[in-house]
Amino acid sequence: MPVRRIDVADGRAALAAVAAGEASRSSTATAVRYLLQLLDEKAPGNSVEVRVPPFGAVQVVQGPRHTRGTPPNVVETDAATWIALATGEITWEAARAAGRVSASGTRADLSDLLPLRP
């Protein structure tokens, strides 16, 4: 089944709602998925799994493909932190130091890919 792509206008509208503090759960989900989509476009691949429960996950970054079980390179964070990282409101280093991001594996450092500047 093909992955449903989020339209740029819909993604930007969801990000604007989040920035204005007026985001519904649906808008937050759209913003998270849109930013994950942008990350996938920027760094396609299958060696790092980025998880933002409960809204989405994506495999990115060139390298060895993972196919079974728990991936060796995993980044996990909450929706608010993911949006802040992807839009440049917080740095990778600050989010890690504050314990807002869990990253395991040798390829799980996204500092060179963030912010996304949607």
Side-chain angles (χ1 to χ4, degrees):
M1 178 181 344
V3 175
R4 181 182 161 269
R5 304 295 290 174
I6 295 171
D7 180 72
V8 172
D10 293 340
R12 289 184 178 172
L15 287 172
V18 169
E22 302 168 356
S24 64
R25 180 174 170 83
S26 176
S27 292
T28 301
T30 299
V32 165
R33 292 176 185 138
Y34 176 64
L35 293 168
L36 288 171
Q37 176 179 301
L38 293 179
L39 179 62
D40 183 42
E41 291 169 2
K42 184 174 185 176
N46 296 97
S47 69
V48 178
E49 186 165 294
V50 179
R51 300 173 180 167
V52 186
F55 300 118
V58 67
Q59 289 188 357
V60 295
V61 181
Q62 293 283 337
R65 181 177 180 87
H66 170 77
T67 57
R68 296 180 57 172
T70 301
N73 300 290
V74 176
V75 173
E76 189 166 331
T77 190
D78 61 275
T81 301
W82 170 242
I83 293 168
L85 281 165
T87 60
E89 293 177 30
I90 189 171
T91 65
W92 176 259
E93 293 78 15
R96 288 287 316 253
R100 295 174 62 184
V101 173
S102 170
S104 61
T106 58
R107 295 174 174 267
D109 181 346
L110 301 181
S111 60
D112 290 342
L113 299 172
L114 300 171
L116 297 171
R117 306 276 187 230

